[in-house]
Amino acid sequence: MIHLVNMPYGSLTCPSPALGLIKSSLTQAGLDSRVFNLIFDFARLMGQDGYEMISLFKGTKTQVGEWLFAEQAWGRSFGPSEEWFLDQFERELSQKEGLIKRPQIPDMKSWLMKLRHDVIPSYLWQCLTRLETAGDLEVVGFSCSLFQTVSSLALGRLIKQEHPETKLVYGGACFHDVMGEELIKKVPWIDAVSTGEADDVVVPLFHALSSGRAPSELQGILYRDDQEIVSGPASHPVSTEVFESIPDPDYSDFFLDAGRVGLLDDYRWRKRICLAFESSRGCWWGEKQHCTFCGLNGKDIAFRAKSPERVYRTLANYERLYPDSICEATDNNLPENYLDTLIPKLKSDPPRPGMKIFYEVKSNMAREQIRAMSDAGMVYIQPGIESLSTHLLKLMHKGVSAIQNLYFLKCCREFGIFAFWNNLLRIPGERPQDYAKMASMIPSIYHLNPPYGGCIKIECQRFSPYFLGQAKGIKSLRPSPWYEAVFPPDLIDLERVAYFFDAVWEETLDDGAYREVMTATRSWLASWMERPQLPKLVMHRREDGSLAVEDTRDSANDGILIGTGSGTGDCTGDCISERSCKEWKLDDIEAAIYSAIRDPASAGKAAFKVSNVAGITLEREEARHHLRHLVEMGLAVEENGVFLGLALDENFKEIS
Ligand code: SF4
């Protein structure tokens, strides 16, 4: 039997798609395999909350999850002192207050030291015993996504020590390209690595290793032959035909292992289960214009998508095998043609009514497309919003404007979609006014989905245009400092294994320039996380043609001035504090104009709509005058002559 291993910090609620895929490919080829989700055993030893905190944490100076396993992986201490490292970790963790749930651990440092020195050594022996008990250790495969590498190396080292004849093969995002080349060269217990997409070589690879042959001439595979490292042909992205034909991942072992630790009976765990499915690889937008910070696609950005029918069958299959799970696409960007194919099909014939599906999407979508996503069960998405400044978006090559992003967020709120996004800072070429403008706008958009990822400075990732020198902005680079604490620098060339780099940036601002937008974002997030009800700005149509705009964006305590109540709109005076209007009343003309900018429109287009829909004749300049008042009142925004009303339709759908 082939042993496939899922080590910390793989997710406790989402099975590894890579291992599930390898297992089903091997099964199809008649090879017996088992995925061992040793993540559950570790979570049981350290507590589920502690495990999840560590797996979600990513610092710039520390990476505590990898560090915990480093001593066991390399058999020695190295790098900065434990005291220093843990101080830095505490500092970085406190900066993520509210974004990562901190477990109830009175003395975090002592707890981490105990894990590193006592718990992990015995955990690794337990892992070995589990693998041995299941069958002879002929071939063991590890798939390493971010922050799974050192734990996998630590277990590999122990396996090799106890079973020198066992073949160990590693792959996954952390072994792509030179990262895998460096690790097989320097880590003697690794027998083979896959340095790229391996769908069409996975069966011959495991077949060769389990029958004692060299896995030679397989694209993207490097293997050890005595002390020599032998390379197959260079890795290349698999073709669309191969991609379409690969089987669905087999997640059965994940549920068996979850059952072993009693999670199947835990309702809270069950309702968080996400099953990854893959409908495309690469990125159709990145192929045209690669976002400057993005290293997500590795070297394989070429876009390939499965047919909508194939994806529908996968979702139906998941529902049959693992009912009631959330289905999460691993795609970097929803394929454009699915808006006309897969999504209508999911709406008209859902594998299960109410099935929830997650996708990452590009944010310049039309209202009807966003509605269609909601109708198809896509009520949790990750749009590539990244900023609410058109200048910054241009610098990042996002191909979208601030007003399009705001419109997207407004439509998501109207159709009950939760959008997870980050507000990115430190963009080469940025100007103070980019952030000042964003900060001043935030109080007027409290009712829209805030960036739950917070405000984060962009980092330099391997394979990104910044890293490759294809985008301007970097003077010099070095691996992020935490690599020195998890890979011994005297053995491993950190430049070749690192994915995250510390850069000396050019044309960026001092931290002070971000302060205002960070403070405003924190209040915005708090208004969503802490208030009993989400903030609202909602239009209510009256029979006389007027509009009442219900406004709970401000809270009495925030003290943020949203509107002045002056101009053509009136504050009704029914206020929850002196400075916060609760309802705005717009007369019939104002109401007609406001309705005309429900979708983004210029003053001319708004005037045209007003005369067409409400039969009121308005000159463009007159319309512009009214629109500017609405902007001053905080009920609309303007960018380059295009206006957008911020209020939601009264029939908006609550986020569930
Ligand atoms: S950030 Fe998203 S849209 Fe941009 S290149 Fe990367 S995957 Fe594509």
Side-chain angles (χ1 to χ4, degrees):
M1 181 177 72
I2 291 161
H3 294 62
L4 303 169
V5 179
N6 185 14
M7 284 297 279
Y9 296 87
S11 166
L12 296 177
T13 49
C14 310
S16 158
L19 293 175
L21 200 51
I22 296 173
K23 176 171 167 129
S24 45
S25 299
L26 295 178
T27 307
Q28 244 182 18
L31 293 171
D32 186 23
S33 67
R34 165 74 156 94
V35 179
F36 294 87
N37 294 282
L38 302 173
I39 49 175
F40 293 123
D41 309 64
F42 194 49
R44 192 161 51 168
L45 288 173
M46 67 187 290
Q48 197 169 321
D49 287 348
Y51 183 97
E52 293 199 322
M53 173 197 71
I54 289 180
S55 61
L56 290 175
F57 173 82
K58 193 206 148 293
T60 49
K61 292 201 170 61
T62 59
Q63 192 45 54
V64 73
E66 295 279 57
W67 175 83
L68 287 173
F69 281 90
E71 217 172 57
Q72 294 305 309
W74 307 107
R76 61 184 163 111
S77 304
F78 58 92
S81 76
E82 293 186 328
E83 195 63 25
W84 180 90
F85 190 87
L86 291 174
D87 280 343
Q88 297 293 320
F89 167 66
E90 287 264 33
R91 203 161 300 143
E92 292 201 308
L93 184 63
S94 64
Q95 288 161 6
K96 297 189 187 288
E97 197 74 53
L99 297 174
I100 294 186
K101 191 174 150 211
R102 200 184 166 111
Q104 298 292 331
I105 294 166
D107 182 350
M108 179 75 76
K109 269 196 203 169
S110 311
W111 177 68
L112 290 168
M113 293 284 250
K114 189 170 160 46
L115 283 176
R116 182 162 147 107
H117 296 298
D118 301 338
V119 177
I120 285 176
S122 76
Y123 162 70
L124 291 170
W125 280 101
Q126 282 175 33
C127 292
L128 178 63
T129 309
R130 254 205 84 194
L131 299 179
E132 288 170 340
T133 313
D136 288 346
L137 288 175
E138 291 168 352
V139 182
V140 180
F142 294 88
S143 171
C144 303
S145 290
L146 290 181
F147 315 135
Q148 261 182 316
T149 306
V150 183
S151 59
S152 300
L153 291 176
L155 181 58
R157 177 190 171 92
L158 182 62
I159 295 173
K160 203 60 153 189
Q161 176 192 300
E162 299 300 307
H163 300 272
E165 71 295 349
T166 301
K167 297 292 179 204
L168 301 179
V169 54
Y170 287 75
C174 295
F175 280 78
H176 278 194
D177 203 49
V178 293
M179 299 181 283
E181 287 173 25
E182 175 66 10
L183 287 169
I184 190 169
K185 215 160 94 189
K186 304 286 178 63
V187 181
W189 57 92
I190 299 181
D191 294 293
V193 295
S194 165
T195 58
E197 292 185 15
D199 307 86
D200 43 6
V201 296
V202 70
V203 170
L205 168 67
F206 280 96
H207 207 267
L209 290 172
S210 52
S211 39
R213 286 183 289 109
S216 54
E217 291 306 311
L218 298 177
Q219 59 111 2
I221 303 297
L222 275 66
Y223 64 96
R224 189 178 302 281
D225 191 6
D226 276 334
Q227 288 319 306
E228 286 289 296
I229 303 299
V230 184
S231 310
S235 160
H236 61 77
V238 297
S239 66
T240 305
E241 292 69 36
V242 169
F243 185 46
E244 174 89 4
S245 69
I246 57 180
D248 290 339
D250 178 342
Y251 293 139
S252 52
D253 293 333
F254 181 82
F255 290 93
L256 278 179
D257 290 338
R260 278 183 62 243
V261 295
L263 280 174
L264 288 183
D265 301 324
D266 181 340
Y267 168 73
R268 283 172 312 152
W269 177 80
R270 285 193 69 89
K271 74 173 193 190
R272 290 172 57 212
I273 295 172
C274 291
L275 301 179
F277 68 100
E278 198 180 27
S279 48
S280 71
R281 287 188 191 165
C283 174
W284 57 265
W285 172 253
E287 260 186 338
K288 290 185 224 169
Q289 221 182 329
H290 200 165
C291 302
T292 51
F293 56 86
C294 172
L296 281 181
N297 298 281
K299 283 173 111 177
D300 302 336
I301 201 163
F303 178 67
R304 291 140 294 153
K306 290 182 184 170
S307 66
E309 296 76 21
R310 173 76 183 78
V311 180
Y312 181 83
R313 279 203 303 279
T314 298
L315 293 172
N317 202 22
Y318 280 11
E319 181 53 27
R320 186 175 56 80
L321 294 170
Y322 323 106
D324 294 336
S325 305
I326 300 166
C327 295
E328 207 168 289
T330 55
D331 303 36
N332 291 320
N333 213 343
L334 173 76
E336 279 178 299
N337 69 321
Y338 286 7
L339 289 165
D340 302 320
T341 52
L342 178 67
I343 286 172
K345 170 75 177 161
L346 288 171
K347 179 188 170 190
S348 62
D349 187 14
R352 167 174 53 88
M355 185 179 203
K356 289 189 177 164
I357 298 168
F358 167 89
Y359 260 102
E360 292 190 26
V361 302
K362 195 156 182 317
S363 55
N364 45 347
M365 280 191 183
R367 171 182 291 276
E368 287 316 310
Q369 293 174 323
I370 301 168
R371 185 203 301 272
M373 288 198 300
S374 168
D375 290 345
M378 287 168 58
V379 290
Y380 170 48
I381 58 173
Q382 185 169 338
I385 288 180
E386 328 292 13
S387 180
L388 298 176
S389 154
T390 296
H391 180 241
L392 296 178
L393 288 161
K394 263 196 192 137
L395 292 172
M396 291 186 273
H397 297 173
K398 286 303 298 180
V400 67
S401 67
I403 211 158
Q404 283 174 309
N405 277 342
L406 288 169
Y407 180 57
F408 183 87
L409 287 173
K410 175 179 139 173
C411 291
C412 283
R413 183 78 207 270
E414 285 194 345
F415 299 122
I417 296 175
F418 180 87
F420 182 92
W421 62 284
N422 304 308
N423 192 9
L424 299 183
L425 313 173
R426 190 171 58 190
I427 321 293
E430 64 194 2
R431 307 166 306 190
Q433 61 265 39
D434 300 327
Y435 296 104
K437 193 171 167 198
M438 230 190 294
S440 66
M441 178 179 63
I442 285 175
S444 64
I445 54 172
Y446 264 31
H447 60 303
L448 305 183
N449 206 144
Y452 268 64
C455 287
I456 45 181
K457 291 182 188 164
I458 51 166
E459 276 187 274
C460 182
Q461 301 176 350
R462 184 180 289 281
F463 307 119
S464 69
Y466 285 135
F467 176 82
L468 297 170
Q470 293 162 351
K472 283 191 194 153
I474 290 197
K475 215 186 264 176
S476 62
L477 278 178
R478 68 181 187 106
S480 290
W482 55 264
Y483 283 100
E484 289 181 13
V486 303
F487 292 102
D490 56 346
L491 174 69
I492 306 284
D493 183 346
L494 302 184
E495 306 243 337
R496 286 169 60 82
V497 292
Y499 180 80
F500 295 102
F501 288 81
D502 243 19
V504 176
W505 296 89
E506 290 179 313
E507 292 185 54
T508 53
L509 302 168
D510 292 338
D511 283 1
Y514 312 134
R515 205 160 292 136
E516 234 185 311
V517 78
M518 288 172 78
T519 308
T521 303
R522 263 196 297 275
S523 304
W524 186 10
L525 276 165
S527 74
W528 274 56
M529 290 173 167
E530 291 166 16
R531 287 203 209 168
Q533 287 191 324
L534 296 183
K536 282 196 279 190
L537 182 71
V538 183
M539 292 187 281
H540 299 280
R541 286 166 216 288
R542 303 291 185 230
E543 276 181 9
D544 62 0
S546 68
L547 268 182
V549 183
E550 180 193 359
D551 185 354
T552 67
R553 289 172 293 177
D554 196 1
S555 78
N557 298 328
D558 289 342
I560 293 163
L561 183 62
I562 290 173
T564 60
S566 62
T568 50
D570 289 324
C571 170
T572 58
D574 183 13
C575 298
I576 49 177
S577 81
E578 249 181 40
R579 302 181 69 196
S580 57
C581 287
K582 201 175 180 186
E583 189 174 86
W584 299 87
K585 186 155 173 14
L586 306 183
D587 66 23
D588 53 344
I589 298 180
E590 200 75 39
I593 291 185
Y594 199 50
S595 301
I597 54 164
R598 181 174 170 248
D599 301 328
S602 63
K605 193 170 167 193
F608 178 75
K609 276 194 189 170
V610 167
S611 90
N612 255 9
V613 178
I616 301 169
T617 309
L618 273 184
E619 291 302 319
R620 186 173 30 188
E621 279 315 305
E622 232 180 318
R624 195 189 314 279
H625 173 77
H626 286 299
L627 289 167
R628 292 242 158 101
H629 268 293
L630 289 165
V631 173
E632 280 164 22
M633 291 158 65
L635 296 180
V637 288
E638 179 197 0
E639 184 173 55
N640 299 328
V642 175
F643 295 84
L644 171 68
L646 291 172
L648 310 176
D649 201 83
E650 61 192 318
N651 299 318
F652 80 98
K653 193 170 158 190
E654 291 290 356
I655 292 172
S656 59

